[in-house]
């Protein structure tokens, strides 16, 4: 049987520090740093004892990701190189191991090598160097189960079937014989069907049909199954278990359909980066991001801009029902022949790693926002289709009239805001597809970015700016929902991200997220959240800090209330409550239009003016006439509670958990301009990722506590104004 062991501990980094993977080569401050600091070579070394029991077996090391240009050697002998920073690779140790101790060395190069994507031009994101994903040691029989692709050809029929194409790994070139068995199991492990085949060559196809009572993978009930493969050969046994789902995806000129039912795709782009530690956060943080996108932002889609992301992230998308647009690494620039060949390989690697994820519904096979290049993109499309005929291809462009070689015309439509640069076009949220494509027919069409640099917005920006940020997201979603020729829209972007000096606000940050880098929501997050069914969670977010003089001239009007309620009730000071309906006429197509409170809702006396006393307010939300939510604002906010909230109070072995710190007023709202720092102390078997003295930004900050062993952990957050808050976590 195959043995897979964690190979993450005790790496000697740069001949100096003992580290555990995932590892970030150079930790960065939150902002204002030199992004060249990690753009150099680094080495990792690990000594381990060869087990005499490995004799006659295949032994290999798998690295889930290394940025970049990795070279692996064993006892000084080079084994393998892998340039791509986003896909796994395996170094075969068989025949190279010596009895007793062996030393494996991984050299990486964080410099932006122009021979490999995404490098060669400028890129609007950072590619933090390091062995930033995990490593595994695998011991298996000389002939073993290799790549396998599971397909579900007739998902929409009553009787379903599964096929699996299996490649056998036979690096020693042995004569092949034996039996391969496939067993279909449900999520609880019950066997539903099974089939076997005799091994005659190094690839086999097994099929099971006539399957009844199969649940489909969809957004609400993402049913998952397991396909177990077991191989018996004269040289030994092997077994694998792979999770998959039964689901059907289709794009037509009429839009997207999941399992035959039309679905408007509502999504955001995700970069896989985090403050301080870059890419190097493990399972919990990766899973958490998927959960935030699905449950906090209530999205049905995410795009892994602009590269293949962590398998933990994709696994979680499978489990919770979040559709994924995955794409190859790159950003605007297309390099020379060697570079292009590597990019075509990137398509292969991405699809082979991820073809069994039901959440992935499209492959992005262009370099994000590059120019047309017929031969190159004909080839990326050909490769994608030959590997996986079950998913459409897309290729993200921002140029119009670009050659359509893909199944879906996927477009970054940054039209909203163009009028500010002197364009004479009236404010336009999205262009009609045929204006963009220049084609004489309607084609499958999806928006893959909007927003972003057209209107960068920090979580501590003035309320008025944030209200405009909110409006822009609302307007694009409304336009998308109203246009049957647009399958969906994926905004730029979910989370703020670190970037090069050539982009962003000069602080090495693109403040383009609807959440900040700690995944703390800005107001615009509620644009998305409020599109979710109130039965699954009521949203009531007034876009205000509730202050007389924060906006120009003063007051809080027009006040957008992002909500999935039917109406709200606003009470201001001593005045009688007023019911206000949603702005349906202005946003006819949104599933849930916001409420917009403006001057017309008030008398002169109620409106007040500069110089009059400021009053508290209460806003209630109603669904079907019943009150379902309420939020209150005080008129005299002072720091009242130092809130410390972990994502979970148990930390998986060696994993890290996010903790949010917020300074709240009497009514529980964050103090958006509270500038005082907090001190963070962690004790027990754990360490703090990031600095221990940090400012609050827009009333909050985040941190990650990483377990270094099992046991209780105490986290203390202290500020000068209030008592410290202490919480307790447990590391497993
Ligand atoms: C796009 C690009 C993204 C990001 C965004 C900012 O052009 O694809 O990666 O840079 O602009 O709005």
């Amino acid at each position: 049987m195959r043995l897979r062991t964690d190979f993450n501990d005790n790496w000697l980094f740069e001949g100096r520090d003992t580290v555990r993977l995932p590892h970030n080569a150079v930790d960065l401050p939150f902002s204002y740093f030199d992004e060249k600091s990690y753009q150099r070579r680094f080495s990792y070394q690990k000594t381990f004892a060869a087990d005499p029991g490995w004799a006659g077996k295949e032994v290999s090391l798998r690295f889930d990701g290394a940025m970049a240009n990795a070279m692996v050697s064993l006892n000084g002998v080079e084994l393998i190189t892998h340039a791509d920073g986003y896909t796994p690779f395996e170094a075969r140790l068989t025949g190279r191991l010596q009895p007793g101790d062996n030393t494996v060395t991984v050299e990486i190069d964080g410099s932006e090598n122009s021979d490999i994507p995404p490098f060669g031009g400028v890129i609007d994101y950072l590619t933090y160097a390091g062995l930033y994903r995990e490593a595994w040691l695998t011991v298996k029989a000389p002939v073993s189960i290799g790549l396998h692709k599971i397909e579900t050809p007739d998902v929409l029929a009553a009787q379903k079937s599964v096929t699996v194409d299996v490649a056998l790994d036979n690096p020693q070139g042995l004569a092949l014989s034996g039996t391969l068995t496939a067993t279909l199991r449900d999520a609880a492990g019950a066997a539903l069907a099974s089939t076997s085949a005799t091994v005659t060559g190094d690839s086999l196809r097994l099929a099971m049909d006539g399957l009844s009572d199969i649940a489909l993978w969809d957004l609400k009930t993402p049913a998952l199954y397991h396909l177990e493969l077991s191989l018996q050969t004269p040289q030994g046994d092997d077994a694998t278990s792979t999770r998959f789902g039964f689901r059907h995806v289709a794009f037509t000129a009429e839009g997207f359909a999941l399992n035959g039912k039309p679905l408007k795709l509502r999504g955001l782009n995700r970069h896989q980066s985090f403050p301080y530690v870059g890419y190097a956060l493990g399972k919990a943080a990766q899973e958490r991001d998927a959960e935030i996108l699905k449950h906090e932002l209530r999205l049905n889609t995410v795009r892994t801009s602009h590269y293949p992301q962590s398998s933990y992230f994709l696994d979680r998308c499978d489990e919770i029902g979040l559709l994924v647009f995955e794409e190859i690494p790159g950003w605007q620039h297309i390099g020379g022949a060697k570079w292009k060949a590597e990019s075509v390989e990137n398509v292969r690697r991405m699809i082979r790693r991820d073809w069994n994820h039901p959440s992935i519904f499209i492959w992005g096979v262009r370099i994000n926002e590059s120019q047309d290049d017929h031969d190159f993109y004909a080839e990326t499309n050909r490769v994608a289709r030959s590997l996986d005929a079950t998913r459409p291809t897309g290729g993200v462009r921002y140029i119009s009239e670009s050659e359509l070689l893909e199944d879906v015309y996927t477009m970054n439509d940054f039209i909203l805001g163009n009028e500010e640069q002197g364009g004479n076009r009236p404010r336009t949220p999205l262009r009609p597809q045929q204006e963009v494509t220049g084609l004489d027919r309607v084609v499958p069409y999806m928006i893959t970015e909007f927003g972003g640099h057209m209107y960068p917005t920090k979580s501590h920006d003035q309320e008025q700016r944030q209200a405009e940020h909110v409006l822009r997201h609302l307007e694009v979603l409304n336009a998308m929902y109203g246009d049957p020729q647009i399958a969906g829209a994926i905004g730029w972007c979910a989370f703020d991200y670190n970037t090069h000096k050539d982009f962003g606000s000069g602080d090495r940050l693109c403040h383009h997220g609807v959440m900040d880098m700690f995944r703390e929501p800005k107001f615009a997050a509620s644009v998305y959240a409020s599109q979710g069914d109130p039965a699954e969670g009521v949203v009531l977010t007034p876009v205000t800090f509730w202050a007389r003089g924060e906006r120009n001239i003063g007051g809080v009007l027009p006040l957008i209330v992002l909500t999935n309620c039917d109406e709200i009730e606003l009470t201001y000071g001593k005045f009688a409550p007023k019911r206000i309906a949603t702005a349906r006429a202005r946003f006819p197509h949104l599933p849930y239009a916001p409420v917009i409170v403006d001057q017309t809702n008030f008398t002169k006396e109620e409106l007040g003016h500069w110089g009059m006393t400021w009053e508290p307010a209460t806003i209630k939300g109603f669904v079907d006439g019943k009150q379902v939510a309420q939020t209150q604002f005080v008129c005299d906010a002072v720091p009242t509670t130092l809130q410390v909230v972990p994502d979970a109070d148990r930390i998986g072995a060696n994993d890290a958990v996010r903790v949010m710190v917020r300074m709240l007023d009497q009514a529980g709202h964050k103090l958006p301009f509270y500038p005082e720092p907090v001190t963070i102390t962690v004790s027990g078997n754990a360490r703090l990722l990031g600095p221990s003295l940090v400012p609050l930004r827009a009333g909050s900050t985040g941190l990650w506590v990483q377990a270094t062993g099992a046991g209780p952990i105490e986290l203390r957050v202290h500020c000068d104004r209030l008592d410290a808050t202490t919480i307790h976590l447990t590391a497993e």
Side-chain angles (χ1 to χ4, degrees):
M1 279 298 156
R2 138 184 329 214
L3 229 120
R4 187 178 185 251
T5 37
D6 177 308
F7 205 69
N8 296 306
D9 268 325
N10 290 319
W11 285 89
L12 188 64
F13 176 62
E14 292 289 90
R16 170 188 86 214
D17 307 323
T18 303
V19 302
R20 185 183 156 87
L21 313 185
H23 181 255
N24 185 39
V26 177
D27 284 350
L28 296 171
F30 184 78
S31 59
Y32 292 111
F33 47 73
D34 175 8
E35 66 267 28
K36 288 258 183 296
S37 62
Y38 63 80
Q39 293 181 31
R40 60 180 179 87
R41 305 182 69 85
F42 299 94
S43 77
Y44 292 83
Q45 209 159 56
K46 176 171 163 120
T47 298
F48 62 101
D51 182 337
W54 296 347
K57 303 254 163 82
E58 274 294 320
V59 184
S60 61
L61 279 181
R62 175 188 160 108
F63 296 89
D64 287 341
M67 184 61 77
N69 252 326
M71 197 260 274
V72 185
S73 52
L74 183 71
N75 305 323
V77 181
E78 181 181 323
L79 298 182
I80 185 177
T81 59
H82 186 81
D84 174 12
Y86 296 102
T87 50
F89 53 98
E90 212 161 292
R92 182 171 177 236
L93 308 186
T94 316
R96 319 264 185 159
L97 288 160
Q98 60 196 25
D101 277 354
N102 288 265
T103 299
V104 59
T105 307
V106 185
E107 285 176 71
I108 57 163
D109 186 357
S111 63
E112 301 195 344
N113 180 337
S114 58
D115 278 345
I116 56 172
F119 306 123
V122 289
I123 40 174
D124 175 20
Y125 54 96
L126 297 187
T127 56
Y128 313 82
L131 285 183
Y132 73 91
R133 288 182 188 150
E134 289 162 300
W136 307 93
L137 178 90
T138 312
V139 182
K140 43 188 187 178
V143 178
S144 63
I145 299 159
L147 273 180
H148 45 282
K149 176 172 58 160
I150 303 165
E151 290 185 359
T152 54
D154 42 9
V155 169
L156 300 182
Q159 303 267 302
K160 309 199 195 311
S161 58
V162 189
T163 66
V164 57
D165 286 299
V166 184
L168 297 182
D169 284 345
N170 178 20
Q172 301 174 31
L174 303 173
L176 289 171
S177 64
T179 314
L180 180 69
T181 305
T183 307
L184 174 67
R185 292 186 187 276
D186 66 15
L192 305 178
S194 180
T195 183
S196 297
T198 305
V199 173
T200 51
D202 61 6
S203 66
L204 293 91
R205 161 171 280 220
L206 279 78
M208 286 173 263
D209 45 29
L211 304 169
S212 44
D213 292 330
I214 295 286
L216 296 186
W217 184 94
D218 66 19
L219 301 183
K220 277 206 172 151
T221 48
L224 293 171
Y225 290 83
H226 294 262
L227 192 86
E228 232 171 63
L229 291 172
S230 85
L231 176 71
Q232 277 82 43
T233 74
Q235 295 85 20
D237 297 347
D238 189 27
T240 59
S241 175
T242 305
R243 215 168 56 172
F244 72 104
F246 291 81
R247 61 108 187 87
H248 184 260
V249 295
F251 274 96
T252 63
E254 278 81 57
F256 175 74
L258 177 63
N259 299 329
K261 292 189 203 114
L263 175 72
K264 280 280 192 181
L265 300 164
R266 181 176 77 238
L268 289 166
N269 284 271
R270 176 207 187 220
H271 268 302
Q272 64 176 16
S273 54
F274 295 92
Y276 319 126
V277 296
Y279 286 166
L281 279 178
K283 188 167 189 256
Q286 304 293 338
E287 293 188 340
R288 183 70 191 169
D289 268 8
E291 287 157 12
I292 288 170
L293 297 167
K294 167 93 182 181
H295 299 305
E296 283 185 38
L297 296 171
R298 312 280 283 272
L299 306 175
N300 56 30
T301 307
V302 59
R303 170 169 168 238
T304 66
S305 53
H306 300 297
Y307 37 77
Q309 301 189 352
S310 162
S311 298
Y312 290 125
F313 177 74
L314 299 175
D315 285 344
R316 198 71 188 132
C317 293
D318 291 344
E319 288 163 3
I320 62 181
L322 179 64
L323 292 162
V324 180
F325 180 132
E326 189 167 51
E327 70 184 358
I328 52 172
W331 204 87
Q332 293 193 352
H333 165 82
I334 300 177
K338 188 170 171 197
W339 192 103
K340 285 184 185 172
E342 179 67 17
S343 181
V344 172
E345 277 312 302
N346 287 343
V347 173
R348 249 185 216 110
R349 294 185 196 114
M350 167 177 79
I351 295 180
R352 286 182 168 155
R353 189 192 68 163
D354 290 334
W355 53 21
N356 294 324
H357 286 285
S359 56
I360 297 178
F361 71 107
I362 186 170
W363 301 117
V365 301
R366 274 188 189 231
I367 301 306
N368 171 64
E369 295 190 337
S370 52
Q371 299 300 307
D372 280 354
D373 183 326
H374 178 86
D375 293 350
F376 179 33
Y377 291 134
E379 180 62 5
T380 58
N381 274 282
R382 188 194 64 75
V383 167
R385 291 182 181 123
S386 72
L387 289 171
D388 180 11
T390 73
R391 289 180 182 85
T393 61
V396 172
R397 63 267 277 163
Y398 66 161
I399 45 173
S400 41
E401 297 184 29
S402 137
E403 187 189 12
L404 181 58
L405 294 163
E406 295 76 19
D407 301 312
V408 186
Y409 197 112
T410 47
M411 177 69 185
N412 292 352
D413 194 4
F414 288 107
I415 189 70
L416 181 57
N418 265 351
E419 68 281 0
E420 285 167 13
Q421 270 124 53
N424 54 5
R425 170 172 203 145
R427 183 161 165 132
T428 308
L430 291 172
R431 281 170 278 186
Q433 76 147 275
Q434 275 172 292
E435 178 188 336
V436 170
T437 64
L439 296 170
D440 57 5
R441 61 185 195 285
V442 179
V443 297
Y445 183 84
M446 167 168 56
I447 302 301
T448 35
E449 289 183 34
F450 61 87
H453 64 286
M454 303 305 282
Y455 207 77
T457 304
K458 304 178 188 71
S459 51
H460 46 89
D461 268 342
Q462 194 199 20
E463 174 177 311
Q464 212 156 8
R465 184 175 186 92
Q466 302 210 50
E468 171 65 14
H469 188 223
V470 157
L471 274 179
R472 287 166 181 246
H473 281 274
L474 283 169
E475 284 171 21
V476 172
L477 288 189
N478 181 60
M480 176 276 277
Y481 276 107
D483 186 340
Q485 297 177 0
I486 301 180
I490 306 176
W492 193 265
C493 57
F495 316 129
D496 291 351
Y497 54 98
N498 285 138
T499 190
H500 291 82
K501 63 170 181 40
D502 320 275
F503 301 90
S505 298
D507 53 356
R508 309 303 189 280
L509 267 165
C510 269
H511 299 269
H512 294 175
V514 302
M515 293 181 144
D516 71 12
M517 262 195 104
F518 296 106
R519 286 60 174 147
E520 179 76 347
K522 303 177 189 173
F523 287 116
S526 292
V527 170
Y528 294 85
S530 63
Q531 301 313 312
D533 184 346
E536 287 156 28
V538 174
V539 176
L540 182 70
T541 310
V543 180
T544 181
F545 302 136
W546 201 259
R548 169 80 89 206
E550 158 67 0
R551 295 194 181 197
N552 306 345
I553 309 178
V556 297
L557 301 180
L559 172 61
I560 305 169
V561 182
L562 296 164
T563 186
N564 47 10
C565 295
D566 314 330
E567 56 176 348
I568 65 153
E569 184 182 273
L570 168 68
T571 313
Y572 172 65
K574 62 177 196 292
F575 301 104
K578 359 180 139 279
R579 289 283 176 110
I580 304 163
T582 59
R584 193 33 97 194
R586 182 158 174 199
F587 298 100
H589 309 297
L590 283 177
Y592 298 94
V595 172
I596 301 185
V597 185
D598 64 20
Q599 309 250 348
T600 61
N601 298 109
F602 296 91
T603 63
K604 238 184 161 179
E605 191 202 359
E606 287 168 335
L607 279 174
H609 54 78
W610 189 245
M612 266 179 73
T613 168
W614 184 237
E615 303 284 350
T618 302
I619 297 179
K620 296 176 178 169
F622 293 82
V623 173
D624 294 332
K626 268 202 224 96
Q627 187 192 321
V628 290
Q630 165 169 330
T631 179
Q632 278 172 305
F633 292 99
V634 295
C635 56
D636 53 356
V638 287
T640 306
T641 309
L642 180 63
Q643 187 190 49
V644 180
V645 190
D647 281 343
D649 49 21
R650 300 192 79 79
I651 310 185
N654 303 301
D655 212 342
V657 148
R658 179 186 68 153
V659 181
M660 286 307 304
V661 176
R662 303 184 181 100
M663 185 56 91
L664 306 180
D665 69 15
Q666 305 91 307
H669 292 289
K670 281 183 288 187
L671 292 173
F673 309 117
Y674 186 81
E676 294 166 33
V678 294
T679 325
I680 303 158
T681 357
V682 174
S683 49
N685 283 334
R687 65 188 187 107
L688 170 67
L689 304 181
S692 57
L693 179 68
V694 284
L696 300 189
R697 300 178 185 89
S700 71
T701 190
L703 58 102
W704 276 265
V705 178
Q706 184 170 50
T708 53
I713 299 166
E714 187 180 278
L715 171 75
R716 185 171 179 273
V717 183
H718 170 266
C719 68
D720 277 351
R721 289 258 219 132
L722 298 175
D723 286 343
T725 302
T726 303
I727 61 162
H728 295 94
L729 307 169
T730 309
E732 281 156 5

